[in-house]
Amino acid sequence: MCPLTVTASEDAAIFNAKDLSGYRAVIFLSTTGDILNDEQQRAFEAWYRQGGAYVGIHAAADTEHTWPWYGLLVGAWFKTHPPTQKAVVVVEDRTHQSTSMLPERWERIDEWYVYKENPRTKKEAPVHVLASMDEKSYDTGGSPMGDHPIAWCHEFEGGRAWYTGGGHTK
């Protein structure tokens, strides 16, 4: 197994060509709002297009709502959520390395996001859905999606992206 070195930072100044060149992946761990300026966005896009990897966790879908490229990268933007509660996640791809250890139906307590659009049906940057929500297993708070992806991945503009709506709870 390869050694893994992690840098944790809330300093957006590291989003520049020099600093990003030292990383193979960037994780947006429950980021929210507008976190990068225009120059940092351009640096991140360039790094990603050269084979970078992006991981978005939970509120990463509630980040950079005015940056169209990021919307394609993350796959879908957050719209709302019902109260934190137990629900059933249906693992759609049990062969993918990130979901192969999970059962076909996985019960978990979390804050289940509803998205502004269904990432499965996006034509510009289609995603591969790894898991979806069984909306009959919880109270959607009046905002059902019907087909409700909750984790997905895709190759996009030279890089790889992976996102999960889970991650609000431990």
Side-chain angles (χ1 to χ4, degrees):
M1 183 175 277
C2 298
L4 182 67
T5 303
V6 176
T7 302
S9 178
E10 293 184 13
D11 181 4
I14 66 174
F15 280 79
N16 63 70
K18 180 178 180 274
D19 289 338
L20 286 171
S21 70
Y23 297 97
R24 294 179 57 200
V26 170
I27 299 171
F28 280 32
L29 176 59
S30 283
T31 52
T32 191
D34 187 14
I35 62 171
L36 302 177
N37 66 31
D38 291 346
E39 185 178 324
Q40 293 161 342
Q41 289 174 356
R42 284 191 297 277
F44 181 54
E45 285 182 37
W47 168 85
Y48 177 84
R49 287 180 175 128
Q50 293 172 354
Y54 162 86
V55 173
I57 300 173
H58 194 60
D62 193 24
T63 302
E64 298 290 351
H65 284 266
T66 60
W67 181 14
W69 183 85
Y70 183 79
L72 296 173
L73 174 70
V74 71
W77 272 308
F78 164 82
K79 178 181 176 183
T80 188
H81 64 77
T84 299
Q85 61 190 294
K86 187 185 302 184
V88 173
V89 176
V90 178
V91 179
E92 295 188 22
D93 182 347
R94 294 188 60 225
T95 63
H96 191 272
Q97 62 186 353
S98 67
T99 53
S100 62
M101 76 297 292
L102 297 173
E104 192 173 320
R105 296 177 63 82
W106 178 35
E107 196 171 83
R108 176 177 164 75
I109 296 172
D110 213 318
E111 181 182 74
W112 302 112
Y113 274 11
V114 175
Y115 302 96
K116 290 182 179 180
E117 62 276 322
N118 185 332
R120 190 191 310 264
T121 61
K122 283 181 101 166
K123 291 179 175 51
E124 287 182 271
V127 302
H128 173 68
V129 175
L130 300 168
S132 59
M133 300 302 303
D134 176 350
E135 289 189 338
K136 293 178 183 144
S137 71
Y138 71 107
D139 178 0
T140 65
S143 296
M145 287 182 62
D147 176 26
H148 191 149
I150 198 68
W152 54 81
C153 61
H154 65 140
E155 292 184 8
F156 170 68
E157 294 190 2
R160 297 174 298 140
W162 183 94
Y163 172 81
T164 178
H168 185 78
T169 58
K170 290 183 182 180

